[in-house]
Amino acid sequence: MNKRAPKVIQICGIRGIITAIFVVVCLFAGFVLFPAKVASILWNNLAATYFSIPQISLWQGCFLWAFVALSVYMLNNKNFAISFQQPMELSDAEMKVLMDRIKMQQQAQRLNAMILKSNDIKIIKKDIQVNPEQDTVKENESENNISENK
């Protein structure tokens, strides 16, 4: 059986529509509203008992639950690049090599710009002629000036 085949759910009549709506509402209540209510109750109990922070509503509890759920998901998923460590710094020698590469690239860009702007560029063009009767190849080198072609 093909694992990638789409799952088809058939809804027949009014009873099927009511059942589908019931399933969606139950999933929403079970995975969104109930954890949001629990998060807001826990927050409000901690706020009243231990801290002097404002209390939150169910709507804000929903955001708190979403924040907690997404944080746990991202920390446990290996595809996300979240880490709690200091990035490695370059040593002085590596920094010097990097700066030298940057300088060389800038010089190369300046030279390329100068070459492209000059009109005195000569292109060596090779015309290859094949003689089928003698099976020989003859190369003609000719110099063309770009300014003459324009």
Side-chain angles (χ1 to χ4, degrees):
M1 186 172 169
N2 189 1
K3 292 183 180 180
R4 293 188 180 203
K7 306 286 188 225
V8 177
I9 299 173
Q10 186 175 359
I11 298 175
C12 295
I14 299 294
R15 183 177 178 190
I17 293 173
I18 292 172
T19 305
I21 291 172
F22 177 75
V23 168
V24 169
V25 168
C26 287
L27 288 173
F28 182 75
F31 288 107
V32 177
L33 288 181
F34 178 73
K37 183 68 173 172
V38 170
S40 66
I41 289 173
L42 287 175
W43 178 277
N44 291 337
N45 286 338
L46 290 175
T49 308
Y50 300 108
F51 307 108
S52 60
I53 52 177
Q55 294 187 352
I56 61 174
S57 66
L58 180 64
W59 181 251
Q60 293 162 330
C62 187
F63 282 122
L64 179 63
W65 163 242
F67 175 75
V68 169
L70 288 174
S71 298
V72 169
Y73 173 75
M74 288 189 319
L75 289 173
N76 288 333
N77 194 351
K78 303 296 182 209
N79 294 336
F80 285 99
I82 297 176
S83 64
F84 295 104
Q85 66 182 7
Q86 187 175 9
M88 296 176 54
E89 295 181 7
L90 296 175
S91 66
D92 290 336
E94 292 171 333
M95 186 63 79
K96 187 175 189 293
V97 169
L98 183 63
M99 294 305 290
D100 289 341
R101 281 186 183 175
I102 292 171
K103 287 178 185 176
M104 286 178 21
Q105 285 178 354
Q106 288 175 345
Q107 289 174 350
Q109 287 175 352
R110 278 190 237 127
L111 288 173
N112 284 340
M114 287 172 37
I115 289 173
L116 290 175
K117 286 182 182 178
S118 77
N119 292 330
D120 297 331
I121 300 175
K122 293 184 179 180
I123 298 175
I124 297 176
K125 185 176 167 184
K126 289 187 177 182
D127 295 328
I128 300 175
Q129 297 176 352
V130 177
N131 191 347
E133 296 171 358
Q134 298 175 356
D135 290 333
T136 59
V137 176
K138 182 179 178 184
E139 291 185 5
N140 295 330
E141 292 187 5
S142 62
E143 292 185 2
N144 294 334
N145 199 345
I146 288 180
S147 59
E148 293 173 2
N149 291 337
K150 290 182 180 178

